[in-house]
């Protein structure tokens, strides 16, 4: 799994951080998403998918990769 965030689309709602805090964070300056781990471990996959689905701006994209 590879995660791509579009910081220009992000509205800073923080749903991603609440759902997958080890993968996402928010900038202290403007609240925009910061990607901490673009290729998280398999254990985080369900949380990352949920975070992407909860994002109101659809700023999180997931690409499935072979491991």
């Amino acid at each position: 799994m590879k995660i791509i965030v579009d910081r220009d689309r992000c509205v800073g709602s923080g749903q991603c951080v609440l759902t997958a805090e080890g993968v996402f964070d928010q900038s202290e300056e403007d609240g925009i998403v910061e990607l901490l781990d673009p290729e998280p471990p398999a254990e985080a996959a369900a949380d990352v998918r949920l975070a992407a689905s909860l994002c109101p701006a659809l700023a999180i994209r997931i690409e499935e990769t072979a491991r």
Side-chain angles (χ1 to χ4, degrees):
M1 163 182 289
K2 181 179 177 185
I3 304 166
I4 300 161
V5 296
D6 184 343
R7 292 180 47 86
D8 292 331
R9 285 188 87 152
C10 179
V11 296
S13 73
Q15 296 303 306
C16 56
V17 179
L18 294 172
T19 307
E21 65 181 318
V23 178
F24 303 101
D25 200 357
Q26 285 180 280
S27 166
E28 296 221 7
E29 182 178 301
D30 56 11
I32 299 301
V33 65
E34 292 182 350
L35 184 57
L36 302 176
D37 189 353
E39 295 186 27
E43 306 84 61
D47 289 342
V48 170
R49 285 187 183 94
L50 180 58
S53 72
L54 293 174
C55 178
L58 302 175
I60 302 169
R61 193 173 87 227
I62 299 170
E63 292 182 356
E64 299 299 333
T65 57
R67 288 206 172 207

